[in-house]
Amino acid sequence: MSKPKIVVLGAGYAGLKTMRELTKSLSPEEADLVLVNKHNYHYETTWLHEVAAGTINPNQARFMISDVINPNRVRLIYDAVVEVKQEDQRVILENGEITYDYLVIALGFESNTFGIKGMEENAFAIVDIDSSREIREHIELQFAKYKTDEHAKDSDLTILIGGAGFTGIELLGELVEKVPKLCKKYDVDRHKVKIINVEAMPSILPMFTKDLVSHATQSLEDRGVEFRLGAAIKECSEDGFVVGDDNELIEAGTVVWTGGVTGSSVLTESGFELTRGKVTVNGDLRAPGYDNIFILGDCAWVMDEEADRPFPPTAQAAMQHANTCARNIKALLDNEPLETFIFDDKGTVASLGTTDGIGTILSGTELKGKAAAAMKKVVDNRSVLLLGGPKMLLKKGKYRPF
Ligand code: FAD
Ligand code: NAD
C-alpha cells in the first residue's frame, strides 16, 4: 500500500512548526512529507515592522528553510499556491500542481484595506520581507533626494501611518529610533520630519489598560509622533490620506497602511466558506466538511467560546495550532481520536522601539518600559528557537543591549 502524502502549505509560524513536529512524530515509512512555500526562506513576520523601518537588516529576520528542515526527509517546493481543488485532492501552484492525502493550509495573512478608495494603489503595507524592505528603501530615498531634488517639499519627509493597532504602534516605535539616524546621515533638520499616525478609534491599543495605553501614547509623542485619534481615513490619494468629515488631506512622502489584515486569498479562490476572510475551523482545526484538511494560523477563525469572539491572530496562537495539528494528523494515521485545540494564552507585548514597550503577561501582570522591551526580545528569540533550533537562535537572535 502506498504511503499517505501530507502536504503543508506555507512555512510561517504555523506551517514550519507543523512540519518540524511531523518530522519528529512520523517515521519516513509512515508518510511522505511535502512543504510548499513561496520563498526558499522562512521570515519572522513579527519582526517585519523593524525591517520596514530599517532598524534591522532584512536578513536577520529570515533563514533558509533547508537549514532547518531536512530536504532528504521532506520534499521542499518553492512556489506560490494558487488554489486548492478539494474534490480531487490537488493543489494548483503557479508552476505546477501537487496531490495530497492530508493537507495543512497555513498561508498567513494579507493586508485588508476594507475597500478604502486608493489604499491598495497608493499605500505601502507590511506583509512580507519584500513589501517591508520596499518601505525602508522608500523612506531612505525621501531623505536622500530632499537636498538634491529641486522639486522636493518638506512634506516628502512626512511618514504617515494609517491605523494604531499593534502593527502601526510597533512600526512607530521603530521609526522614532530610525528617523534621527536618517536625519544625521542626510543632514536633514529633525524638525522638518513629521511622523503622523491616523486612527479611527479614540485610543490606541484599546485591549490594554488606561495606564499602559497612556504610557505608550506619551512615550511615542515624546519622541516626535503626532497622533490623530478618532479620525477615520476615507481615501488614500497619491499625496496622502483624506481624513474626517471635512475631507482634510494629510500630505506625506511615505504612506503605510496598517489598518487590518485578513486570511490568504487562496481560501477565497478555493471556495471555502469564510468568516471575514478566514475559515471557521472545527475544534480539531479541520475545515468543516473536510476530514483531511487542517487550516491554521491567520487563515483560521478560531472561536474563544468563553469570550464569544475569535482569538486574535498571533504567532503565539499559530505555533500552538501547529502542535495540535501535528498530533491530530498522527492520530488520524493511527486511527486514534483527535484532540480539541485549547489556546494557552501566555500574554501580549507591544514593543515601542528597542528600549520601551507595554504588555500583559501571566494572566494579568502588567509590564511597561524596559521590562516589556526585554520580554519582547525573549518572545522573539523563543520563536526562532522553536522554529530554527539553538544554532539558528545564535545566528539570528536579538541581543542588542539597552
Ligand atoms: P505567516 O507567519 O505570515 O506565514 C505564512 C507563510 O506562507 C509565509 O512563509 C509566506 O511566504 C507563505 N505564503 C503566503 N502566501 C503564499 C502562497 N500563495 N503560496 C506559497 N506560500 C505562501 N503575533 C504575535 O504573537 N506576537 C507579535 O509580537 C506579533 N508581532 C507582529 C508584528 C507585525 C509587524 C505583524 C505584521 C504581525 C505580528 N504578529 C504578532 C502577528 C503574527 O505575525 C501572525 O499572526 C503570524 O505570522 C501568523 O502565522 P502564520 O503561520 O499563519 O502566517
Ligand atoms: P488591527 O486590526 O489590530 O489594527 C488596525 C487598526 O487600524 C485599528 O486600531 C483600527 O481601528 C484602525 N483602522 C481601521 N480602519 C481605519 C480607518 N479607515 N481609519 C483609521 N484607522 C483605521 O491590525 P494590525 O495592527 O495589523 O494587527 C493584526 C493582528 O496581528 C492583530 O490581531 C494582532 O493581534 C496581531 N499583531 C500582534 C502583535 C503583537 O502581539 N505584538 C503585533 C502586530 C500584530
Side-chain angles (χ1 to χ4, degrees), residues 46 49 114 116 119 162-170 198-201 203-207 231-234 257-261 298 312-314 348-351 376:
T46 60
H49 55 292
F114 304 103
I116 296 174
M119 195 61 86
F166 278 94
T167 304
I169 291 301
E170 292 198 322
V198 184
E199 165 58 50
M201 305 303 280
S203 157
I204 67 168
L205 298 177
M207 65 294 288
I233 301 160
K234 294 163 77 180
W257 171 247
T258 59
V261 295
D298 282 10
T314 60
T348 313
V349 186
S351 62
K376 187 72 196 282

Side-chain angles (χ1 to χ4, degrees), residues 12-14 37-38 43 45-46 80-81 107-108 297-298 313-316 376:
Y13 296 98
N37 194 61
K38 209 187 266 182
Y43 51 83
T45 305
T46 60
V81 177
L107 294 168
D298 282 10
T314 60
Q316 183 190 169
K376 187 72 196 282

